[in-house]
Amino acid sequence: MRDFQILFTLALGLLAGLFMSRIVKPLKLPAVTGYLLAGILIGPYCLGSLGVTGLFTDLNELKTMAEIVQSVALGFIAFAIGTEFKLSSLKKTGKQATVVGIVQAVTAMLLVDAALIGLSFALGQDKLPLPVCVTLGAIATATAPAATLMVVKQYKAKGPLTNILLPVVALDDAVGLVCFAVSIGVAQALAGGGEALNAISLVINPLLEVVLSLILGAVMGAIFTVVENMFRSNSKRLCLSITFVLLTIALSQLSHTFSNGLEIKFSNLLVCMMLGTVFCNICDSAEELMEKTDKWTMPIFILFFVISGAELEFSFFKSWVVVLVGVIYVLVRALGKYVGAAFSAKITGCDKNIVKYLGVTLFPQAGVAIGMSILAVEALGSDGTTVRNIVLFGVLIYELVGPLLTKIALTKAGDIVPKDAPAEKHHLSVAEVFADDPDEDDE
């Protein structure tokens, strides 16, 4: 009976996401927004609260499904972003993307830190403790690669802004990991756990995680390419692509902590991103395989956003402090992303449309930020719970508004163009049907 419930719920989630994407289409909203709204609708805090069964109403079961789907979806998303790091493209945008990726993330962190620390002294540290402020500043660096990539793919965005956007989003997560590790150490010290503030936890562990993740991804990418050359069948090569991404995701879950506090662990996003980067640069058929993989992963991405919508909680609205801090966090983080991106893009000589619109495309925030907030709960206890509630508030706003703003920015920059007039319809073979882009009518 439990298997029936899980399969039925997943099927219902896919169906709800697909239908909601059609409902929001006349409103010119991206499909990802429809998926999130579908999750909210069939989740435990909407229809689930009315006692409707067969939905995403079991919180424990929802959490289990979310962990698996999130890991797989983010792995494939990072893999897809990694394939955008072609050496030919990096020669043109590599330096600019690196500078912008670091500056916009650090700017967002510093502005959020300053605003919330000032608010902490105004409200009193009993209402807004300093460890919460420092931790939220670090989490502000993270951008949601899933929502950004989905909008880019749905509307087939191409152009200078898209070319720099995906590398910046990828670098953003690497910078965020380091900033968060340092900030959480400072937050623990402020909360009274001074023993946690040392060189290993502040510097060595976060840097080691980034380096080891890139090494593991590079090794897996090289092995993937060697094995891929042994097969000629398109279906088998597709299966091999999926197998290696899943294997890489599994390996990235491994970790070990030594007695001196040194940690051996990996970032799912960075490992899979490096897998895609190495693969696309040394495999001749990488582009062809990615097109096929994109079609296979679409149901996973839809489920990822539907479940993310179902997980969004609304209980934090009961606390005026959380709402106030959440609003300031959302606004100041957006300001930091925009100002940081515009300033760094300008000093590196980027196109004027990149200077004007790149910051807007970096607003979405979801999985990575939620993951950081979970670590904050483990490290800071009750203060971490406050962090998580504020982050969830921000995610609710960013995920509903962010994809639409990303679409508008890409359109204004000229990277999204109106769909060409449809070609004359004709009867298609089965092979031609599956060769077509299933999302073409969502533009």
Side-chain angles (χ1 to χ4, degrees):
M1 190 65 182
R2 183 174 180 273
D3 290 344
F4 166 80
Q5 181 64 39
I6 293 175
L7 291 173
F8 180 81
T9 302
L10 291 175
L12 184 64
L14 279 171
L15 193 62
L18 289 169
F19 273 105
M20 188 59 73
S21 70
R22 309 310 299 175
I23 293 174
V24 301
K25 184 182 178 183
L27 302 176
K28 303 299 182 181
L29 295 174
V32 63
T33 302
Y35 304 148
L36 288 163
L37 290 174
I40 293 174
L41 180 64
I42 65 175
Y45 305 104
C46 193
L47 290 179
S49 65
L50 302 178
V52 180
T53 59
L55 308 178
F56 288 94
T57 52
D58 187 325
L59 292 178
N60 292 327
E61 197 171 86
L62 176 61
K63 183 179 180 181
T64 301
M65 287 190 292
E67 290 174 352
I68 296 174
V69 172
Q70 184 181 64
S71 294
V72 174
L74 288 177
F76 276 100
I77 287 165
F79 176 65
I81 290 177
T83 59
E84 300 294 331
F85 281 82
K86 296 180 181 177
L87 291 178
S88 57
S89 301
L90 289 179
K91 289 178 182 178
K92 301 176 182 178
T93 62
K95 180 181 178 181
Q96 294 172 328
T98 301
V99 173
V100 173
I102 295 173
V103 172
Q104 57 84 24
V106 173
T107 301
M109 179 180 71
L110 294 178
L111 287 184
V112 170
D113 275 341
L116 294 185
I117 289 174
L119 184 63
S120 173
F121 284 108
L123 296 177
Q125 293 192 38
D126 56 325
K127 289 185 172 62
L128 182 59
L130 286 178
V132 172
C133 304
V134 173
T135 306
L136 285 171
I139 295 177
T141 60
T143 298
T148 302
L149 185 65
M150 287 287 283
V151 172
V152 168
K153 287 187 174 297
Q154 179 187 350
Y155 296 100
K156 300 179 178 63
K158 292 181 181 179
L161 179 55
T162 304
N163 291 340
I164 196 173
L165 169 60
L166 296 179
V168 166
V169 169
L171 287 168
D172 183 274
D173 291 319
V175 175
L177 284 173
V178 176
C179 291
F180 179 76
V182 173
S183 295
I184 201 70
V186 173
Q188 286 177 310
L190 291 172
E195 69 279 1
L197 192 61
N198 54 62
I200 291 179
S201 63
L202 287 179
V203 180
I204 297 178
N205 281 342
L207 291 178
L208 190 61
E209 179 177 353
V210 172
V211 172
L212 290 178
S213 297
L214 296 179
I215 292 174
L216 176 58
V219 171
M220 292 301 294
I223 296 174
F224 178 20
T225 303
V226 171
V227 177
E228 185 271 339
N229 288 329
M230 299 178 182
F231 297 88
R232 292 292 178 266
S233 167
N234 286 335
S235 59
K236 290 180 180 178
R237 290 160 77 191
L238 172 61
C239 290
L240 190 65
S241 301
I242 296 167
T243 299
F244 260 85
V245 175
L246 291 176
L247 178 60
T248 304
I249 293 170
L251 291 175
S252 69
Q253 307 298 317
L254 299 175
S255 64
H256 180 74
T257 303
F258 295 95
S259 57
N260 62 353
L262 186 68
E263 293 181 339
I264 302 296
K265 62 179 182 178
F266 307 93
S267 164
N268 180 355
L269 287 171
L270 291 181
V271 173
C272 291
M273 181 194 73
M274 196 62 182
L275 171 72
T277 300
V278 172
F279 176 62
C280 78
N281 281 287
I282 64 177
C283 179
D284 295 333
S285 58
E287 189 171 343
E288 176 190 351
L289 285 175
M290 277 307 303
E291 290 178 0
K292 298 180 182 298
T293 303
D294 285 345
K295 292 182 173 70
W296 184 87
T297 53
M298 183 53 65
I300 297 176
F301 293 162
I302 294 175
L303 275 176
F304 170 75
F305 285 106
V306 171
I307 293 177
S308 296
E311 279 193 306
L312 293 177
E313 299 180 30
F314 300 92
S315 58
F316 44 70
F317 283 110
K318 297 177 182 178
S319 170
W320 68 268
V321 174
V322 170
V323 174
L324 174 62
V325 176
V327 169
I328 293 175
Y329 170 81
V330 168
L331 295 177
V332 175
R333 175 185 174 273
L335 177 65
K337 289 285 182 180
Y338 186 84
V339 171
F343 172 74
S344 53
K346 188 171 184 178
I347 64 174
T348 54
C350 291
D351 181 85
K352 63 179 182 179
N353 282 332
I354 295 176
V355 174
K356 190 174 182 180
Y357 298 112
L358 177 60
V360 178
T361 65
L362 300 173
F363 289 172
Q365 188 175 53
V368 178
I370 292 175
M372 289 180 177
S373 71
I374 293 173
L375 295 176
V377 173
E378 296 174 357
L380 301 176
S382 59
D383 285 347
T385 302
T386 302
V387 169
R388 178 166 170 76
N389 286 336
I390 294 169
V391 169
L392 288 174
F393 177 91
V395 167
L396 175 64
I397 305 301
Y398 283 128
E399 284 299 271
L400 292 177
V401 178
L404 176 61
L405 293 178
T406 298
K407 175 197 171 185
I408 293 173
L410 289 171
T411 303
K412 293 283 188 181
D415 284 30
I416 294 178
V417 296
K419 187 173 67 172
D420 294 333
E424 183 179 352
K425 293 189 176 181
H426 60 282
H427 293 291
L428 300 175
S429 66
V430 173
E432 289 175 317
V433 169
F434 283 99
D436 284 346
D437 184 355
D439 291 323
E440 196 171 49
D441 62 346
D442 279 341
E443 292 182 34

